């Protein structure tokens, strides 16, 4: 995985180091890289405009700041001028402040007779399509007033925007919006994929993300370690157990799911049904007696035990493989006793929902940890676990998931747009999923899937990676089937998850 350059994600500083090494150690002129970046952005622009307009007869405005990002924009504008496109540059940054390669690009753009219009507060953005080359990856604090005004006006045009390297106003490291940010239709990023494009607000603001390596030699990438990786399911499929013709159900684990306090039987039912569809050999549920009948009627393959007395749980866990606790668990004394029994079992454990909330309320429960844990918080649960606000979690999701993994000595899936998986310092990002997943029950399906993979012998790290990807990818498939993101039901993911597992297993000859 460490050698998978196509999946590597970088911080802005890491990409600056890559750029520096390419120039200083490989002898690649900085302006040559800028030219390649401009050409790559221009080619993307042409492809998009052909799709949008079907002709070259459109008006283009390129918005330029005063840094190297502006240099890329000036090259795009010059290339558009050469092709006869109706193009203008709106110089929001003073061209007199340009230096080095960006200044050279500006001068070249002038030579192509492209009109360059200084920004004024009464200037209206009126083109059919825009290129955003205002602010690059070096932005740290909130966008300054002039640029904020331009960005707000640009967003209010509701016209297509191609962002160069990163949408202006988006933090390249965290995916947080720095006051205000461009909402791009497409973003083309260079040399290294910026991790902020793929999570939190980056998922919304970057649009479709494209990558151009600018012919930087592979050896350059070995000089600077990346920050994280895009999840690649092919790295985990070999951990799926082989299905031999003489297989026995006990070879594929016995998963127990604990949850479903009064009035919350649906959550544990969804988790258990998902686990059964994900290939585990045996599935048992420990829940309140009131839920037994409904669960057995819906899915008779699941063994169900009604339990009002958590003291009975230890004997129910004899010879079991893995536990999931949290779906519909609640926060009653019964819930707390169930969680303690699960922790004391020493079995590999997936903790979700109110299991996490109870853990946050009583951190001393961590002292009883005897096995590998896989924790699956959403940002609100993560905030309670770390004693901070949800806003602080979202401000830097990468730092948050790493802190959770360290503090709880566990593999952690931080759910949300661009879910993050962290284990032993390695962070992976699921570049799948959609807004239709923002509905109750999605997390229960995920916890059941993760428990099933663990019960079949996968490590917490591999189960978290493959399970998170399968869950979100199935939601994308469901959105394709129903034609949008409205009304996705978590239970509708379950057969799609099963189908995907089988497809992966067949392709890898592990079926």
């Amino acid at each position: 995985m460490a050698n998978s350059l196509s999946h590597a994600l970088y911080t802005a500083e890491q990409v600056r180091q890559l750029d520096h090494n390419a120039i200083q150690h490989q002898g690649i002129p900085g302006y040559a890289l800028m030219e390649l970046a401009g050409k790559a952005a221009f080619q993307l622009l042409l492809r998009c405009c052909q799709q949008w307009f079907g002709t070259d007869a459109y008006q283009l405005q390129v918005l330029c700041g005063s840094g190297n990002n502006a240099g890329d924009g000036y090259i795009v504008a010059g290339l558009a001028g050469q092709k006869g496109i109706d193009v203008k540059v709106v110089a929001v940054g003073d061209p007199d402040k340009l230096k080095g390669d960006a200044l050279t690009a500006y001068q070249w753009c002038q030579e192509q007779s492209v009109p360059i219009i200084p920004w004024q507060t009464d200037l209206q953005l009126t083109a059919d399509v825009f290129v955003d080359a205002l602010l690059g990856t070096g932005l740290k604090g909130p966008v300054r007033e002039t640029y904020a005004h331009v960005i707000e006006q640009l967003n209010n045009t509701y016209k297509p925007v191609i962002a160069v390297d990163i949408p202006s106003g988006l933090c390249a490291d965290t995916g947080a919006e720095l006051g205000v940010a461009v909402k791009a239709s497409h973003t083309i990023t260079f040399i290294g994929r910026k991790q902020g494009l793929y999570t939190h607000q980056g998922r919304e603001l970057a649009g479709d993300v494209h990558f151009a390596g600018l012919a930087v030699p592979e050896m350059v990438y070995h000089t600077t370690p990346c920050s994280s990786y895009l999840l690649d399911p092919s790295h985990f499929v070999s951990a799926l157990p082989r299905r031999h013709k003489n297989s026995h159900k006990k070879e594929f684990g016995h998963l127990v799911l604990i949850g479903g306090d009064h009035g919350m039987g649906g959550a544990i039912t969804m988790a258990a049904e998902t686990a059964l569809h994900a290939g585990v050999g045996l599935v048992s549920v420990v829940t309140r007696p009131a839920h037994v009948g409904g669960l057995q009627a819906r899915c008779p393959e699941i063994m169900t035990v009604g339990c009002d007395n958590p003291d009975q749980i230890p004997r129910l866990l004899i010879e079991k493989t893995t536990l999931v606790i949290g779906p519909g668990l609640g926060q009653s004394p019964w819930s707390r006793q169930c969680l303690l029994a699960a922790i004391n079992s020493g079995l590999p454990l997936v903790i979700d929902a109110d299991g996490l909330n109870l853990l946050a309320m009583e951190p001393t429960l961590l002292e009883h940890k005897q096995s590998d844990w896989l924790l699956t918080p959403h940002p609100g649960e993560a905030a309670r676990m770390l004693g901070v606000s949800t806003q602080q979690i979202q401000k830097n999701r990468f730092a948050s998931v790493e802190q959770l993994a360290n503090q709880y000595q566990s593999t952690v899936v931080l759910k949300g747009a661009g879910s993050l998986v962290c284990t032993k310092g390695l962070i992976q990002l699921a570049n799948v999923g959609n807004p239709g997943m923002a509905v109750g029950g999605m997390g229960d399906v995920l916890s059941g899937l993760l428990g099933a993979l663990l019960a079949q012998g996968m490590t917490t790290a591999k189960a978290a990676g493959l399970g998170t990807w399968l869950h979100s990818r199935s939601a994308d498939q469901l959105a394709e089937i129903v034609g949008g993101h409205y009304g996705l039901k978590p239970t509708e993911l379950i057969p799609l998850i099963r189908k995907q597992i089988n497809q992966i297993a067949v392709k890898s000859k592990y079926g």
Side-chain angles (χ1 to χ4, degrees), residues 349-360:
L349 191 58
V350 177
I351 307 180
D352 183 37
D354 274 326
L356 299 171
N357 290 325
L358 288 169
L359 201 57

Side-chain angles (χ1 to χ4, degrees), residues 252-263:
F252 306 114
H254 190 158
L255 175 67
V256 178
L257 301 98
I258 302 174
D261 202 352
H262 295 302

Side-chain angles (χ1 to χ4, degrees), residues 117-353:
I117 306 167
W119 169 259
Q120 296 177 347
T121 54
D122 58 351
L123 182 65
Q124 296 298 308
L125 303 179
T126 58
D128 301 307
V129 60
F130 297 89
V131 169
D132 164 30
L134 289 168
L135 301 168
T137 60
L139 185 67
K140 298 299 181 184
V143 175
R144 288 176 295 166
E145 183 178 359
T146 298
Y147 284 90
H149 179 72
V150 176
I151 290 171
E152 288 170 352
Q153 187 183 146
L154 175 61
N155 288 342
N156 288 335
T157 66
Y158 299 101
K159 296 294 179 65
V161 178
I162 305 292
V164 176
D165 207 22
I166 194 165
S168 295
L170 179 69
C171 179
D173 294 350
T174 67
E177 186 178 36
L178 298 175
V180 63
V182 169
K183 191 177 188 311
S185 310
H186 293 263
T187 296
I188 182 164
T189 195
F190 309 120
I191 300 181
R193 298 176 186 271
K194 285 72 181 176
Q195 62 184 30
L197 293 169
Y198 297 91
T199 194
H200 191 27
Q201 289 162 308
R203 286 290 297 270
E204 173 73 15
L205 296 170
D208 293 336
V209 179
H210 310 260
F211 174 65
L214 308 187
V216 170
E218 183 173 330
M219 65 183 67
V220 170
Y221 293 92
H222 299 308
T223 66
T224 303
C226 66
S227 175
S228 53
Y229 292 89
L230 294 176
L231 268 173
D232 181 354
S234 68
H235 289 125
F236 310 111
V237 293
S238 62
L240 287 172
R242 290 180 180 271
R243 300 272 162 166
H244 298 290
K245 291 182 179 179
N246 62 343
S247 293
H248 188 274
K249 59 190 175 187
K250 290 188 177 179
E251 296 177 30
F252 306 114
H254 190 158
L255 175 67
V256 178
L257 301 98
I258 302 174
D261 202 352
H262 295 302
M264 293 184 285
I268 198 68
T269 301
M270 285 187 286
E273 190 173 350
T274 304
L276 189 65
H277 281 70
V280 68
L282 294 163
V283 178
S284 294
V285 167
V286 177
T287 187
R288 288 287 194 179
H291 303 315
V292 171
L295 204 155
Q296 290 183 330
R298 178 175 176 86
C299 196
E301 299 89 345
I302 296 171
M303 295 172 283
T304 310
V305 178
C307 176
D308 279 330
N309 181 6
D311 289 340
Q312 300 174 355
I313 290 178
R315 67 175 179 82
L316 299 174
L317 302 182
I318 297 173
E319 297 185 354
K320 304 305 188 291
T321 309
T322 305
L323 287 177
V324 171
I325 188 163
L329 182 65
Q331 298 180 30
S332 67
W334 176 86
S335 312
R336 192 262 182 195
Q337 291 172 20
C338 286
L339 178 60
L340 183 58
I343 293 173
N344 285 334
S345 72
L347 292 173
L349 191 58
V350 177
I351 307 180
D352 183 37

Side-chain angles (χ1 to χ4, degrees), residues 40-62:
F42 181 62
Q43 289 301 316
L44 174 62
L45 174 71
L46 292 180
R47 292 195 302 271
C48 291
C49 287
Q50 184 61 38
Q51 179 182 353
W52 293 327
F53 309 118
T55 174
D56 288 340
Y58 51 84
Q59 291 184 327
L60 168 67
Q61 288 184 342
V62 181

Side-chain angles (χ1 to χ4, degrees), residues 418-454:
S419 291
L420 301 177
V421 177
C422 182
T423 181
K424 296 180 180 179
L426 174 65
I427 300 176
Q428 298 173 83
L429 187 152
N431 191 31
V432 282
N434 62 75
M437 299 176 73
V439 61
M442 283 290 179
D444 303 313
V445 169
L446 176 61
S447 64
L449 171 58
L450 297 176
L453 295 176
L454 277 179

